[in-house]
Amino acid sequence: MNGLGELEAAVMDVLWQADEPLRVREVLNRLAGRTLAYTTVMTVLDNLHRKQWVLRDKSGKAYHYRPAGSREELVARTLRRMLETSLQPDVVLLHFARSASDRELAVLRQVLEERSDRR
């Protein structure tokens, strides 16, 4: 599954809050209240890069990491991938719709109406 673990989510929060790309050491220093090894944070960032949640650029010997998109964009992309890899995407959507809140259903209705109006 393309979801995030607790530490991955904490690292992403650090990156989303940053004004610029960060090196591993900078991410480590910003993970407040956690005692982690440098290599642990490096591995998490490598995993997030592999999952396409972060982009990295090499500067000298170090990589600088930044989010591959906003929180909302990346979550939506993950949901899209989950549907695309499901054997029964229609069943997944049915389960989601049945579990959706009134607010979520209102947003879905609005989008469906907008798409209908464009036709």
Side-chain angles (χ1 to χ4, degrees):
M1 183 175 308
N2 289 332
L4 298 181
E6 181 183 336
L7 185 53
E8 289 174 323
V11 167
M12 287 305 303
D13 285 339
V14 166
L15 293 174
W16 279 315
Q17 291 170 13
D19 294 331
E20 60 190 11
L22 302 175
R23 294 175 306 187
V24 174
R25 177 73 55 200
E26 295 167 322
V27 173
L28 175 62
N29 292 340
R30 294 180 188 200
L31 285 167
R34 295 179 182 257
T35 305
L36 298 167
Y38 177 93
T39 54
T40 300
V41 176
M42 184 174 60
T43 299
V44 169
L45 285 163
D46 284 341
N47 289 340
L48 289 168
H49 180 258
R50 182 180 43 79
K51 291 179 179 184
Q52 298 179 347
W53 278 76
V54 300
L55 302 173
R56 67 183 181 193
D57 300 302
K58 199 159 192 175
S59 178
K61 294 183 180 182
Y63 283 111
H64 287 78
Y65 294 88
R66 58 190 162 89
S70 71
R71 181 185 313 264
E72 295 76 15
E73 290 169 332
L74 294 176
V75 169
R77 188 178 71 197
T78 299
L79 290 172
R80 167 58 44 209
R81 284 183 182 156
M82 298 292 283
L83 283 173
E84 289 171 351
T85 59
S86 172
L87 295 176
Q88 296 180 302
D90 52 338
V91 175
V92 173
L93 283 172
L94 193 60
H95 283 289
F96 174 78
R98 287 185 176 142
S99 69
S101 69
D102 290 341
R103 183 170 165 17
E104 292 163 342
L105 289 172
V107 170
L108 290 172
R109 279 189 197 97
Q110 179 182 350
V111 170
L112 291 171
E113 288 173 11
E114 289 171 3
R115 288 186 77 173
S116 178
D117 290 345
R118 281 191 265 160
R119 291 181 185 173

